[in-house]
Amino acid sequence: MSQMSNKNKKVVQNLAKSISKEVKHFNKIEVEGLIGEYEVLMQDMSNYGREVPGLERGKFRSKLHSMFGITHDIIMDGVFKTFDKDNDGHVTMREWIEGLSVFLRGNMDEQIKFCFHVFDLNGDGYISREEMLQLMKNSLILATEEESEEGIKDLVEITLNRMDHDHDGKLSFEDFEKAIKEENLLLTAFGPCLPDYKSIEKFEQRVFYVQLFQ
Ligand code: CA
Ligand code: CA
């Protein structure tokens, strides 16, 4: 990558300073790294000669896959939707940094909100049986077609029983939060929507610590 001009560098530093005051978990230097990474991702998007307001779904999904090992279609779309806060089909620089603050470093409360939003596929405020079924079908690989359909239905019922605190047959945010506070492993009950420790470490090494020596 070519050396950033001094002027551009100053602009990025000022931007990073203001963003780091508003977004949790990242300091100024780390935000600079995330801006740099975003610009690299955007570069190969604007190859087509048009201005784009942010990362498009396809690009974002392929990065989730290659950088963080998130592979399931519905989960990738859910993560995209969760990053794309204003729902305009693009993840802007700001949305990228805000999303990553939870994705990489969120505390338990932030991650519960994040995963709930990913799993609530139609955004109606509940995770329904149908949504659970769709998610689990997507993330589990069972022996045969028949076995998988039945097995997953059973698993949905077991998981729903365990997490549906008010017994109305669907998971509200309150049900979800309560269940996870009792058993943290349930956070990814419907699929791996957060990166594993190894991918986080690798990403941070590359994006944050290299930055320190530039
Ligand atoms: Ca829903
Ligand atoms: Ca419920």
Side-chain angles (χ1 to χ4, degrees), residues 62-152:
S62 83
K63 290 299 146 187
L64 277 181
H65 190 157
S66 62
M67 291 175 175
F68 301 112
I70 303 214
T71 52
H72 305 297
D73 282 337
I74 300 177
I75 302 275
M76 285 195 283
D77 281 341
V79 173
F80 178 81
K81 175 191 77 181
T82 306
F83 270 68
D84 179 18
K85 287 208 176 97
D86 66 359
N87 196 29
D88 72 345
H90 290 91
V91 170
T92 60
M93 179 192 288
R94 184 63 186 241
E95 287 171 339
W96 159 254
I97 296 170
E98 280 176 1
L100 285 175
S101 88
V102 176
F103 196 62
L104 300 174
R105 296 192 171 166
N107 60 32
M108 186 49 84
D109 284 331
E110 291 166 334
Q111 292 193 336
I112 290 173
K113 282 199 190 101
F114 182 91
C115 293
F116 185 83
H117 197 221
V118 171
F119 297 148
D120 176 11
L121 301 174
N122 66 358
D124 72 346
Y126 295 96
I127 305 173
S128 65
R129 263 196 182 81
E130 292 68 34
E131 285 168 331
M132 290 179 208
L133 194 62
Q134 231 182 314
L135 285 157
M136 285 176 147
K137 255 189 200 166
N138 203 244
S139 22
L140 297 176
I141 301 159
L142 295 181
T144 67
E145 194 76 12
E146 237 171 275
E147 194 183 323
S148 62
E149 190 70 31
E150 278 314 298
I152 291 170

Side-chain angles (χ1 to χ4, degrees), residues 3-21:
Q3 195 71 32
M4 235 187 263
S5 72
N6 279 340
K7 188 169 168 246
N8 192 12
K9 203 165 179 177
K10 195 79 204 147
V11 171
V12 170
Q13 281 172 346
N14 285 334
L15 186 59
K17 195 172 170 184
S18 77
I19 293 178
S20 67
K21 281 183 191 149

Side-chain angles (χ1 to χ4, degrees), residues 126-213:
Y126 295 96
I127 305 173
S128 65
R129 263 196 182 81
E130 292 68 34
E131 285 168 331
M132 290 179 208
L133 194 62
Q134 231 182 314
L135 285 157
M136 285 176 147
K137 255 189 200 166
N138 203 244
S139 22
L140 297 176
I141 301 159
L142 295 181
T144 67
E145 194 76 12
E146 237 171 275
E147 194 183 323
S148 62
E149 190 70 31
E150 278 314 298
I152 291 170
K153 277 189 179 153
D154 288 348
L155 200 55
V156 165
E157 290 311 313
I158 291 166
T159 315
L160 183 60
N161 273 337
R162 178 142 182 211
M163 298 177 80
D164 182 16
H165 187 247
D166 62 5
H167 307 291
D168 67 348
K170 56 191 181 181
L171 297 183
S172 62
F173 180 73
E174 289 70 31
D175 292 328
F176 188 73
E177 185 181 36
K178 193 169 165 42
I180 287 156
K181 294 225 156 139
E182 284 164 10
E183 172 50 82
N184 293 350
L185 287 176
L186 288 171
L187 184 59
T188 51
F190 307 118
C193 59
L194 289 165
D196 61 27
Y197 177 73
K198 273 226 153 89
S199 326
I200 294 176
E201 198 181 30
K202 208 168 140 198
F203 179 87
E204 295 202 348
Q205 284 280 349
R206 186 172 62 77
V207 175
F208 297 157
Y209 302 112
V210 171
Q211 180 80 6
L212 286 176
F213 300 105

Side-chain angles (χ1 to χ4, degrees), residues 38 41-48 50-64 76-77 79-81 83-84 88-93 95-96:
Y38 175 84
L41 296 178
M42 286 296 287
Q43 262 167 23
D44 35 293
M45 277 202 25
S46 44
N47 277 351
Y48 305 102
R50 62 200 161 99
E51 220 25 69
V52 277
L55 297 167
E56 286 165 346
R57 182 189 301 265
K59 179 78 183 175
F60 184 84
R61 280 182 45 146
S62 83
K63 290 299 146 187
L64 277 181
M76 285 195 283
D77 281 341
V79 173
F80 178 81
K81 175 191 77 181
F83 270 68
D84 179 18
D88 72 345
H90 290 91
V91 170
T92 60
M93 179 192 288
E95 287 171 339
W96 159 254

